[in-house]
């Protein structure tokens, strides 16, 4: 960089010197004009000096002279380099250089000349600037701007193709002829490349092949114009040949052999064939193709874009039992090769490929995929739909067993036997699912009876054909309402229906009213909908605020089915515009199909039967206890018989309900209870006539009472005898309230209307005639 600046200074120095000379003349002219003095001027020759003078110092540069005639005059110079490099003789004005100058360091020096009076140091003339120019000598050799240059050129380029450019700089003055002129020369590698005077390097041969030699290292020399005897400089240039696609791929082997199991998947890898392409990877575009051999439609060869290998893949399943070996020839070529630089050796390469298929234990093969069966819903006679079949493709030809794996919907709707028969354990319902799907697995039975772990699967689809077994149902809209003053023909609501069965192709649903004795009419729209309209008009909210309208909907199926659905229509108060102002909200009543009713009745009947069985078991148990023989009982058991007596008495006339034989059984067998002191006071009863039966019973009862009183371990169960029914002879008569509602009453309940809105509903219930019945 410094040398470049030095060269520029050499070019610009004369111009600056000329400008300064002009300025000096102008200054002198102005000074002479302003001072109006006798004209005086500095007189000296143009100063210059050669660089690198080899004579002894100091070197005379020039002389400054003034026209002033004064014996006391004294010359001095000022400036950056005054009195150091340059000095002036005081009386003569000769200027000397006390150092050897180098133009490449500094091309000119600017100084200021003054003439003063020795006595008082007063200036006798205005100061004047002058320039000392350093003349150049050819003392510098050209120097390269960098030691190593890099360049590139495509291989096989024609002669004269530009490669790169080198640059060398000479620090000498370029304005001097021959001092800064640089010439170049290739001194190493000139048989391949050359360089011109501007430094551009060109090729000299058209057969530079990257595959033979990819880089070249040449040396270029830079020197001055002819006649210079100084040193020259050199630089190294590294030239790289860039690749072009000028070579075809070649197989690494004349033949390839691969082994592959017969169960390799379609599209899987069988093997890889390798080629060699000496071009760089970006220029390797190998294409593989079949040229000879059978079964070429069984495989395909795809080039790997990264490794350039040919990947062999099967296009269809392989079968060892059918074809055990494949043999064919393949070709490798590159369609993108530049034929202008094509070398001898052929444009394609051929190799033989042998593929050996090995036998494996394959799973069974189904004869048909998928299987599809059709069955009518609710068909009780259809038990078998058909069968699936699979075979062992191997030479062993083992037997096959079938197993169901999956089912949709999940459940035991479709079964598969071991031999592949598709069975229905029960009729199918299309409304539950219109199709049933199962997955059937086929497994080989090995020689030892075990099942092979390899299995294949088949999908079985069962389509259920619809039967018209569901009646249409009303699609309940928002709660229908009508104004109490609605006019005849007023549309109350549009109704529609839905059917779980498939829509009949013969037409639409049919709508009708269950009774014509109502204030409503039905008009069909012939688009599967119908309108409910007002028939006569003017509803009476005092008689009924809610109307229940039965609507019959039937389909056109075979057989035709219908259902009765109830619309709950509220009669509302409306304003003059017909807007509803007040309506009673009632829960919607929905129609119940016959199937639902049957299900409800079956549940109720089952519950009743269970309750009856439970009651019968309890009754039999009690009777079994009563039938125990009294003779085999002890006193405690007899006492228990007395306590658990639960028959209601017949009042004062009941004298035959007691089992007296049980009470007398203790005396007949001579059993006496153990005498235990009683904690209670015993009451002495007066003796009675022993000859009377009633007296005997009274005595027995007294004895049993005493035994109960004296038994510390038992509660006084005799005090728990409660009689809820006094009998027909009782003066208390019946206390039941069941018959209290059967008595006629002439009470007029109209007074309830006067008790306010809280008793309004009660007044409507008791104020209506019993034979009134509003049915719509």
């Amino acid at each position: 960089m410094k040398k470049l600046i030095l060269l520029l200074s050499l070019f610009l120095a004369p111009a600056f010197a000329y400008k300064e000379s002009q300025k000096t003349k102008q200054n002198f002219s102005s000074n002479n004009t302003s001072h109006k003095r006798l004209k005086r001027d500095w007189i000296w020759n143009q100063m210059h000096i050669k660089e690198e003078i080899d004579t002894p110092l100091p070197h005379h540069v020039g002389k400054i002279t003034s026209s002033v005639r004064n014996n006391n005059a004294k010359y001095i110079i000022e400036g950056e380099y005054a009195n150091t490099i340059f000095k002036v003789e005081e009386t003569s004005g000769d200027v000397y250089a006390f150092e050897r100058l180098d133009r490449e360091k500094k091309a000119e020096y600017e100084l200021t000349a003054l003439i003063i009076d020795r006595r008082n140091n007063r200036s006798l003339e205005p100061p004047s600037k002058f320039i000392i120019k350093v003349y150049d000598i050819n003392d510098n050799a050209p120097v390269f701007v960098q030691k190593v240059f890099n360049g590139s050129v495509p291989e096989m380029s024609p002669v004269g193709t530009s490669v790169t450019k080198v640059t060398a700089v000479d620090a000498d003055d370029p304005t001097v002829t021959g001092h800064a002129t640089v010439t170049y020369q290739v001194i190493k590698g000139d048989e391949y490349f050359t360089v011109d005077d501007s430094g551009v390097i060109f090729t000299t041969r058209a057969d530079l092949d990257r595959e033979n030699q990819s880089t070249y290292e040449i040396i270029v020399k830079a020197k001055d114009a002819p006649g210079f005897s100084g040193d020259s400089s050199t630089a190294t240039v590294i030239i790289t040949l860039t690749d072009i696609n000028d070579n075809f791929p070649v197989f690494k082997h004349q033949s390839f052999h691969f082994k592959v199991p017969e169960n390799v998947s379609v599209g899987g890898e069988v093997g890889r064939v390798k080629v060699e392409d000496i071009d760089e990877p970006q220029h390797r575009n190998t294409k593989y193709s079949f040229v000879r051999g059978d079964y070429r439609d069984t495989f395909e060869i795809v080039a790997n874009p990264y490794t350039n290998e040919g990947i062999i893949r099967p296009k269809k399943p392989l079968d060892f039992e059918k074809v055990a070996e494949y043999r064919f020839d393949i070709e490798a070529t590159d369609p993108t090769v530049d034929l202008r630089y094509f070398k001898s050796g052929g444009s394609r390469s051929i190799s033989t490929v042998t593929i050996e298929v090995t036998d494996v234990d394959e799973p069974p093969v189904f004869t048909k995929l998928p299987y599809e069966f059709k069955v009518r819903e609710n068909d009780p006679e259809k038990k078998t739909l058909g069968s699936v079949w699979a075979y062992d493709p191997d030479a062993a030809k083992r037997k096959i067993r079938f197993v169901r794996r999956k089912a949709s919907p999940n459940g035991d709707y479709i079964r598969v036997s071991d031999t592949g028969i598709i069975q229905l354990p029960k009729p199918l319902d299309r409304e539950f699912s219109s199709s049933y799907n199962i997955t059937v697995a086929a497994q080989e039975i090995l020689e030892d009876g075990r099942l092979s772990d390899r299995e294949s699967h088949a999908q079985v689809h069962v389509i259920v054909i619809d039967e018209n077994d569901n009646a249409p149902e009303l699609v309940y809209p928002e709660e229908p309402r009508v104004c109490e003053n609605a006019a005849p023909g007023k549309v109350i609501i549009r109704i529609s229906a839905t059917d779980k069965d498939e829509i009949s192709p013969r037409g639409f649903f049919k709508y009708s009213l269950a009774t014509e004795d109502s204030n409503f009419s039905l008009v069909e729209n012939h688009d599967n909908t119908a309108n409910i309209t007002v028939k006569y008009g003017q509803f009476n909210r005092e008689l009924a605020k809610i109307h229940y309208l039965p609507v019959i909907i039937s389909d056109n199926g075979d057989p035709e089915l219908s259902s009765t659905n109830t619309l709950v229509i509220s009669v509302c108060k409306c304003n003059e515009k017909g807007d509803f102002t007040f309506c009673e909200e009632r829960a919607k009543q929905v129609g119940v199909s016959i199937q639902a009713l049957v299900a409800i009745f079956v549940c109720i009947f089952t519950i009743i039967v269970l309750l009856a069985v439970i009651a019968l078991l309890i009754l039999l148990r009690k009777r079994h206890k009563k039938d125990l023989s009294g003779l085999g009982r002890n006193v405690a058991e007899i006492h228990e018989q007395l306590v658990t007596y639960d028959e209601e008495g017949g009042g004062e006339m009941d004298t035959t309900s007691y089992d007296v034989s049980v009470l007398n059984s203790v005396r007949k067998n001579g059993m006496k209870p153990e005498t235990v002191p009683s904690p209670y006071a015993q009451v002495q009863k007066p003796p009675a006539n022993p000859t009377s039966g009633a007296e005997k019973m009274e005595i027995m009862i007294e004895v049993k009472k005493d035994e109960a009183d004296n038994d510390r371990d038992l509660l006084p169960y005799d005090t728990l005898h409660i009689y809820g029914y006094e009998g027909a002879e009782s003066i208390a008569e019946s206390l039941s309230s069941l018959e209290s509602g059967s008595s006629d009453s002439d009470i007029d309940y109209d007074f309830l209307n006067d008790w306010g809105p809280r008793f309004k509903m009660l007044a409507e219930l008791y104020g209506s005639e019993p034979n009134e019945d509003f049915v719509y």
Side-chain angles (χ1 to χ4, degrees):
M1 189 65 185
K2 292 181 179 179
K3 294 180 179 180
L4 288 174
I5 296 173
L6 182 58
L7 286 174
L8 290 175
S9 63
L10 292 174
F11 280 102
L12 298 178
F16 284 128
Y18 175 77
K19 289 182 180 180
E20 290 299 326
S21 176
Q22 294 297 325
K23 290 180 182 179
T24 304
K25 290 179 180 180
Q26 291 176 2
N27 291 333
F28 288 163
S29 176
S30 61
N31 290 334
N32 292 334
T33 304
S34 61
H35 291 288
K36 305 294 184 181
R37 295 171 49 185
L38 180 64
K39 182 177 179 181
R40 296 173 181 174
D41 198 359
W42 289 96
I43 300 173
W44 60 71
N45 296 327
Q46 184 176 359
M47 295 187 187
H48 58 82
I49 185 174
K50 287 186 176 182
E51 64 172 336
E52 302 295 345
I53 299 175
D54 56 357
T55 59
L57 294 173
H59 299 148
H60 185 266
V61 178
K63 184 175 184 178
I64 57 176
T65 304
S66 175
S67 60
V68 174
R69 296 293 180 259
N70 189 333
N71 294 328
N72 295 319
K74 176 183 178 181
Y75 293 98
I76 62 173
I77 58 174
E78 293 181 352
E80 180 181 1
Y81 299 97
N83 302 317
T84 54
I85 296 178
F86 301 99
K87 295 181 180 180
V88 62
E89 206 283 326
E90 294 180 355
T91 58
S92 64
D94 291 319
V95 179
Y96 295 92
F98 285 83
E99 292 182 6
R100 286 183 174 84
L101 302 181
D102 187 354
R103 192 200 66 83
E104 285 71 37
K105 293 182 179 180
K106 193 170 181 62
E108 60 182 29
Y109 298 86
E110 182 179 299
L111 300 174
T112 302
L114 298 95
I115 184 170
I116 63 175
D117 191 335
R118 295 176 183 273
R119 296 170 296 178
N120 52 19
N121 291 332
R122 291 181 61 184
S123 178
L124 300 178
E125 285 289 338
S128 176
K129 292 184 178 180
F130 65 95
I131 294 176
I132 300 174
K133 296 180 63 177
V134 181
Y135 280 179
D136 181 53
I137 63 173
N138 196 1
D139 61 342
N140 291 282
V143 179
F144 284 98
V145 295
Q146 59 193 64
K147 288 295 184 181
V148 179
F149 293 86
N150 291 281
S152 63
V153 64
E155 63 174 330
M156 311 302 291
S157 296
V159 176
T161 303
S162 175
V163 178
T164 187
K165 184 178 181 179
V166 296
T167 303
V169 178
D170 193 332
D172 291 325
D173 189 355
T175 62
V176 180
T177 303
H179 281 201
T181 302
V182 181
T183 60
Y184 301 92
Q185 180 184 359
V186 177
I187 61 176
K188 178 184 177 183
D190 55 342
E191 67 271 26
Y192 304 110
F193 303 95
T194 186
V195 61
D196 61 8
D197 291 338
S198 64
V200 178
I201 299 176
F202 300 93
T203 59
T204 60
R205 296 177 60 172
D207 59 349
L208 298 178
D209 192 352
R210 187 197 67 86
E211 286 71 35
N212 294 330
Q213 183 175 348
S214 60
T215 59
Y216 293 84
E217 184 175 310
I218 66 174
I219 297 176
V220 179
K221 181 176 73 172
K223 61 180 181 178
D224 273 337
F228 174 67
S229 58
D231 296 334
S232 61
S233 62
T234 60
T236 301
V237 182
I238 298 176
I239 300 174
T240 303
L241 297 183
T242 58
D243 184 50
I244 63 172
N245 193 5
D246 58 342
N247 294 279
F248 285 96
V250 178
F251 282 108
K252 291 186 175 181
H253 305 285
Q254 291 297 321
S255 63
F256 295 89
H257 186 273
F258 304 103
K259 284 187 177 182
V260 60
E262 62 177 335
N263 61 346
V264 62
S265 61
V266 175
E269 183 175 328
V270 174
R272 298 192 177 196
V273 294
K274 298 181 179 180
V275 296
E276 183 178 5
D277 191 339
I278 57 179
D279 289 326
E280 290 187 348
Q282 68 270 19
H283 293 141
R284 297 172 185 172
N285 300 302
T286 304
K287 300 298 180 184
Y288 298 90
S289 59
F290 298 92
V291 292
R292 286 187 298 272
D294 297 329
Y295 305 105
R296 288 176 292 174
D297 59 339
T298 307
F299 299 93
E300 64 177 354
I301 305 179
V302 181
N304 187 311
Y306 302 102
T307 63
N308 209 33
E309 298 173 319
I311 304 173
I312 302 178
R313 297 173 178 172
K315 296 166 58 177
K316 56 185 180 181
L318 304 181
D319 192 345
F320 170 81
E321 285 72 26
K322 293 182 179 179
V323 181
E325 184 179 272
Y326 297 87
R327 184 186 297 271
F328 41 78
D329 291 342
I330 59 175
E331 176 190 68
T333 186
D334 188 347
T336 62
V337 169
D338 193 341
L339 298 179
R340 293 178 301 172
Y341 311 109
F342 172 66
K343 306 180 184 67
S344 61
S347 61
R348 63 179 186 170
S349 178
I350 297 177
S351 180
T352 301
V353 176
T354 302
I355 299 176
E356 181 182 348
V357 181
T358 59
D359 188 24
V360 296
D361 185 11
E362 298 177 89
V365 177
F366 281 94
T367 57
K368 179 182 177 181
L369 291 175
Y371 293 87
E372 182 176 295
F373 303 97
K374 293 184 179 181
V375 61
R376 301 191 71 86
E377 68 171 326
N378 303 321
D379 188 353
E381 298 180 358
K382 195 69 172 179
K383 301 295 184 181
T384 301
L385 297 181
S387 62
V388 297
W389 181 251
Y391 64 92
D392 182 8
D394 298 321
K397 302 301 179 185
R398 301 187 180 99
K399 294 182 178 180
I400 307 300
R401 179 174 295 176
F402 300 92
V403 181
R404 194 188 79 168
R405 290 298 186 210
K406 297 179 182 179
S408 176
N410 192 19
D412 187 22
Y413 301 104
I414 301 176
R415 296 175 182 175
V416 180
S417 67
D418 293 345
T419 58
I421 298 175
I422 307 300
Q423 301 171 335
L424 296 180
K426 58 184 178 181
L428 300 180
D429 186 4
R430 194 201 69 86
E431 284 68 45
F432 175 74
S433 179
S434 60
S435 64
Y436 295 79
N437 304 313
I438 63 171
T439 300
V440 178
Q443 295 177 291
E444 297 177 6
I445 303 176
L446 303 178
E447 288 74 9
D448 56 0
R450 295 183 297 106
L451 294 178
S452 172
D453 55 354
R454 299 181 60 82
E455 61 181 40
S456 56
H457 301 88
Q459 300 298 322
V460 178
H461 306 291
V462 179
I463 300 175
V464 184
I465 302 175
D466 184 45
E467 289 285 333
N468 192 24
D469 57 345
N470 291 279
E473 298 177 356
L474 181 66
V475 178
Y476 286 91
E478 295 182 359
E479 183 177 352
R481 297 179 293 177
V482 63
C483 294
E484 61 180 342
N485 57 350
K490 172 69 176 177
V491 177
I492 300 174
I493 193 170
R494 171 175 287 191
I495 59 175
S496 61
T498 183
D499 196 332
K500 295 180 181 178
D501 295 320
E502 294 180 353
I503 300 298
S504 172
R506 299 191 299 171
F508 301 101
F509 296 123
K510 294 187 296 185
Y511 300 87
S512 61
L513 297 180
T515 177
E516 296 295 332
D517 186 16
S518 67
N519 196 12
F520 301 97
S521 61
L522 184 146
V523 180
E524 290 205 40
N525 298 321
H526 303 290
D527 60 352
N528 266 347
T529 64
N531 291 339
I532 303 298
T533 62
V534 179
K535 188 174 184 181
Y536 305 114
Q538 297 298 326
F539 294 90
N540 189 353
R541 281 176 46 83
E542 298 299 330
L543 294 178
K545 298 180 179 61
I546 304 294
H547 293 267
Y548 300 96
L549 182 64
V551 179
I552 300 174
I553 307 175
S554 60
D555 57 21
N556 288 317
D558 185 18
E560 184 176 284
L561 298 178
S562 62
S563 65
T564 301
N565 304 265
T566 303
L567 274 178
V568 181
I569 303 176
S570 301
V571 179
C572 305
K573 293 181 179 181
C574 300
N575 55 21
E576 295 178 354
K577 297 181 180 180
D579 299 330
F580 299 111
T581 59
F582 178 76
C583 296
E584 279 79 11
E585 297 292 337
R586 294 294 182 91
K588 296 180 182 179
Q589 296 185 3
V590 297
V592 181
S593 63
I594 296 176
Q595 292 83 351
L597 290 175
V598 171
I600 294 174
F601 290 150
V602 169
C603 293
I604 294 175
F605 179 76
T606 303
I607 294 174
I608 293 174
V609 171
L610 290 175
L611 293 177
V613 171
I614 294 173
L616 181 61
L617 291 175
I618 295 174
L619 182 61
L620 290 176
R621 183 180 179 184
K622 289 184 177 181
R623 178 166 294 182
H624 177 70
K625 289 182 179 180
K626 290 182 179 181
D627 290 342
L628 293 176
S629 175
L631 296 177
R633 299 176 183 178
N634 54 24
V635 177
E637 290 176 339
I638 297 173
H639 183 73
E640 185 67 20
Q641 174 67 22
L642 177 64
V643 173
T644 58
Y645 175 70
D646 57 357
E647 294 182 2
E648 295 186 358
E652 288 82 350
M653 299 300 296
D654 185 8
T655 58
T656 61
S657 298
Y658 292 94
D659 190 358
V660 181
S661 62
V662 176
L663 299 176
N664 292 329
S665 63
V666 177
R667 298 185 63 186
K668 290 180 181 180
N669 288 279
M671 297 176 62
K672 294 183 180 180
E674 181 180 357
T675 303
V676 180
S678 175
Y680 310 103
Q682 297 185 2
V683 179
Q684 297 294 329
K685 301 293 182 179
N689 188 6
T691 60
S692 174
E695 293 176 355
K696 291 181 180 180
M697 181 177 179
E698 181 180 358
I699 293 173
M700 179 56 62
I701 291 174
E702 291 295 334
V703 172
K704 302 304 292 182
K705 287 175 62 179
D706 291 340
E707 291 176 356
D709 292 339
N710 295 326
D711 193 345
R712 298 180 181 180
D713 299 328
L714 296 177
L715 296 175
Y717 290 99
D718 56 321
T719 60
L720 301 179
H721 290 194
I722 300 173
Y723 299 93
Y725 175 63
E726 296 298 330
E729 300 296 327
S730 174
I731 60 174
E733 299 184 352
S734 176
L735 301 179
S736 174
S737 62
L738 297 177
E739 299 180 358
S740 61
S742 62
S743 61
D744 296 334
S745 175
D746 296 332
I747 300 175
D748 185 5
Y749 292 97
D750 290 339
F751 65 89
L752 294 174
N753 292 320
D754 300 332
W755 286 14
R758 295 185 178 181
F759 295 89
K760 185 176 182 180
M761 181 60 69
L762 190 62
E764 291 179 356
L765 293 176
Y766 282 87
S768 302
E769 293 297 330
N771 57 353
E772 291 182 354
D773 188 11
F774 300 104
V775 178
Y776 295 93

